[in-house]
Amino acid sequence: MNVQIMDRADISTAATAVYTYPVSHSFQAVGGARRRARDVLAEWGLSRDTAEDAVLVISELVTNAVLHALPPAELRLSLHGDVVRVEVGDSGAAPMWPGSAPASDERGRGGDVVEALALSHGADVRSDSATYWAELPAC
């Protein structure tokens, strides 16, 4: 699978809401991030279906940070008009985008999930950090 890493999208509207959540370097952090995100997205008035799509993307990106990146990591959600942006930043570039490795029975499909649900997605990779992001419709 050839995965294109795109530059950060140019969101034309300023964020009307922003939420950040520190992600510990443990598998329990994935469930915690999902629970917090559900509450925040419901508070922002997103539909249950939209929130569940966003939570699935969050789960994939946070799992990738826990499995492949250096701590600390942070989840950031922002609402820009009709777009919700999910970002997961970490302190070391992940070796590959989720799903870019050959799929096994239990791993390797995260990138496909993100690509299927997101309007756009990509990564901002620097020498000492990486931020993986996805934008979803906020309806």
Side-chain angles (χ1 to χ4, degrees):
M1 173 185 205
N2 183 13
V3 177
Q4 179 182 3
I5 303 298
M6 297 177 280
D7 291 329
R8 182 178 297 252
D10 178 24
I11 299 176
S12 59
T13 60
T16 57
V18 176
Y19 174 78
T20 59
Y21 177 72
V23 176
S24 66
H25 202 69
S26 70
F27 288 111
Q28 292 80 11
V30 179
R34 285 192 304 253
R35 284 187 296 278
R36 296 281 179 121
R38 273 190 190 98
D39 292 344
V40 169
L41 297 170
E43 186 177 305
W44 289 354
L46 273 64
S47 72
R48 182 175 170 87
D49 289 342
T50 298
E52 287 305 312
D53 286 351
V55 167
L56 186 53
V57 168
I58 290 163
S59 184
E60 296 298 339
L61 297 182
V62 171
T63 297
N64 188 58
V66 169
L67 286 175
H68 302 293
L70 299 171
E74 181 180 73
L75 167 66
R76 180 183 169 153
L77 303 175
S78 54
L79 187 59
H80 302 264
D82 60 353
V83 173
V84 64
R85 184 178 178 97
V86 174
E87 298 179 20
V88 176
D90 58 59
S91 295
M96 62 186 66
W97 180 256
S100 61
S104 69
D105 287 344
E106 296 181 25
R107 292 188 178 182
R109 294 186 180 91
D112 293 338
V113 170
V114 173
E115 188 170 337
L117 296 173
L119 299 168
S120 61
H121 65 87
D124 297 326
V125 179
R126 295 180 171 78
S127 62
D128 62 346
S129 65
T131 299
Y132 292 91
W133 57 268
E135 295 174 346
L136 295 97
C139 47

